[in-house]
Amino acid sequence: VQDVATSQSRGLRGDSKSLQQWKEKILEILAEIQAPLSLFTLRLCHWVLLKLLNRLFLSVQLHRGQLEMVLKAARTPDVPLAFLSTHKSQLDGLLLSFLLFSQRLGVPRVTVEGQTCSPRLRALIACLGGIFLPWRMEQAPSNEDEGLAGAVLAAYVEEVLRSRQPLVIFLEEPSITLHLSASARRWLAGLYRAVCDGVVPDISLVPVGISYDVAP
């Protein structure tokens, strides 16, 4: 009996250790996707962005018809928002985040092409609401969406939709137009699966865009 109890105890310790290892892997992948929002960094960057906009552009204009469409979609009860946009410049993510936040739509989660960011820039953007694919998924072929990283990403998308955090998905890479990027396919696939699995009854897909007289 003592031998059996000892064996069971070792098994439980082994299971506990295995669970702890899985938990650490999951938290590691989640940290690659997002970081906690920093309110101080958000306020500071909004102030810096205003100064930058005043130097780069003569004016920033909002399309009233598009703004009304966005606000109408935001008022739909129990339906999360996903904004779809094309990429014109590296400033698009900051501008969209700033404009949506200024309209009291909360701090949106903005998808970012992680391969174009240095580790320090990636850490800063994550504090401002930027989200990234896990490293292993960025480096994998576009049709490979399996494994632990894919499961964590799917769970993350579901949680964003449940909590009704606005999500901004860029359909292209900044340097390539009229071509759906691999990361965009993964994010859109997450939305599709969430609806099919009944996580949310529906998603409002709202097209938004930024145009420049001269792209910065």
Side-chain angles (χ1 to χ4, degrees):
V1 174
Q2 184 176 358
D3 291 340
V4 172
T6 302
S7 177
Q8 289 177 342
S9 177
R10 289 174 180 172
L12 289 173
R13 285 199 299 269
D15 290 343
S16 177
K17 184 178 180 180
S18 178
L19 289 173
Q20 182 63 27
Q21 290 175 341
W22 279 108
K23 182 178 180 181
E24 290 175 357
K25 289 181 180 178
I26 291 171
L27 292 177
E28 179 184 344
I29 295 171
L30 186 58
E32 294 173 1
I33 297 174
Q34 70 156 26
L37 293 174
S38 171
L39 294 180
F40 171 77
T41 307
L42 279 168
R43 295 191 184 101
L44 177 62
C45 285
H46 279 165
W47 178 81
V48 172
L49 184 59
L50 282 174
K51 299 293 184 182
L52 179 64
L53 293 178
N54 286 331
R55 289 182 175 275
L56 284 178
F57 307 111
L58 296 176
S59 65
V60 177
Q61 300 177 357
L62 285 174
H63 190 287
R64 290 297 175 186
Q66 190 178 55
L67 178 59
E68 290 176 1
M69 178 183 67
V70 170
L71 295 177
K72 181 179 179 180
R75 289 193 292 267
T76 305
D78 301 324
V79 177
L81 290 175
F83 299 100
L84 306 182
S85 180
T86 57
H87 240 146
K88 301 298 183 182
S89 83
Q90 297 284 3
L91 285 178
D92 290 357
L94 289 173
L95 278 171
L96 276 178
S97 179
F98 174 77
L99 293 174
L100 294 172
F101 182 74
S102 68
Q103 298 302 314
R104 299 181 180 180
L105 293 175
V107 181
R109 290 291 182 176
V110 183
T111 61
V112 183
E113 292 282 351
Q115 296 176 349
T116 62
C117 299
S118 66
R120 290 185 178 181
L121 180 60
R122 183 175 177 132
L124 173 61
I125 294 175
C127 291
L128 300 175
I131 53 177
F132 304 82
L133 291 176
W135 286 110
R136 63 208 75 190
M137 294 185 69
E138 288 180 348
Q139 298 169 357
S142 59
N143 61 352
E144 185 178 336
D145 192 21
E146 300 175 352
L148 183 60
V152 173
L153 180 66
Y156 173 79
V157 172
E158 291 178 2
E159 185 57 32
V160 168
L161 296 175
R162 284 195 195 97
S163 59
R164 297 201 63 192
Q165 298 179 63
L167 179 63
V168 178
I169 299 177
F170 285 104
L171 302 178
E172 306 164 330
E173 296 180 18
S175 58
I176 303 176
T177 58
L178 302 178
H179 185 271
L180 191 64
S181 68
S183 64
R185 291 192 188 97
R186 293 189 184 279
W187 291 110
L188 292 173
L191 300 184
Y192 176 75
R193 281 197 299 267
V195 174
C196 290
D197 294 343
V199 176
V200 289
D202 199 1
I203 301 173
S204 290
L205 300 179
V206 183
V208 294
I210 295 179
S211 60
Y212 305 91
D213 291 335
V214 179

